Amino acid sequence: MEKKFVKETRCVKTSRVFPTDVNNHETLFGGRLMSHIDDIASISASKLCRVTAVTASTDSVDFLLPIRQTDSVSLEAFVSWTGKRSMEVFVKVIREDLRTGERRIAATSFLTFVGLGDDNKPVYVPQVIPETDEEKKLFETAVHRKEMRAIRREQSKAFADFLLAKYPWE
């Protein structure tokens, strides 16, 4: 099976926070940030497998600090671990105060992607080779996150079986 270095999947995106990006607290809309996260994570996943990569799950988005209108927001994404047909992508969100230059981690996120072939069926994906301490730590702790995802997915399926798909007025 083909292998690639994690750094080959690394992507960075930096944006200014504009008035149309903020909520009534004058901080970045969470949904806007989640859209940025999914966007950059999908690019990272596609860089690994070089086929269409689709989001299988957003495993977590942890909002740690507010991102203000006086900040820029940088997202750094890379594939942190791979299974046979799935990829875990880690996204680190950094806010930078454009007046002082202070940079802080504002959010972290893990997403799972699947690569699809021309027939829209999952394909095998290359394995990743971590090199930095950060990459190695994420790689070493990935199996636990995979186990938690599997448990959560089964719980979600069971819960979905309980839910109704009818219109509320029926």
Side-chain angles (χ1 to χ4, degrees), residues 150-163:
I151 292 168
R152 192 184 75 246
R153 183 165 175 80
E154 288 306 312
Q155 290 172 341
S156 291
K157 284 180 181 179
F159 185 61
D161 288 340
F162 170 76
L163 298 174

Side-chain angles (χ1 to χ4, degrees), residues 138-149:
L138 289 164
F139 186 85
E140 291 165 3
T141 56
V143 172
H144 175 70
R145 287 188 301 276
K146 180 186 178 205
E147 292 167 355
M148 295 297 101
R149 276 192 293 273

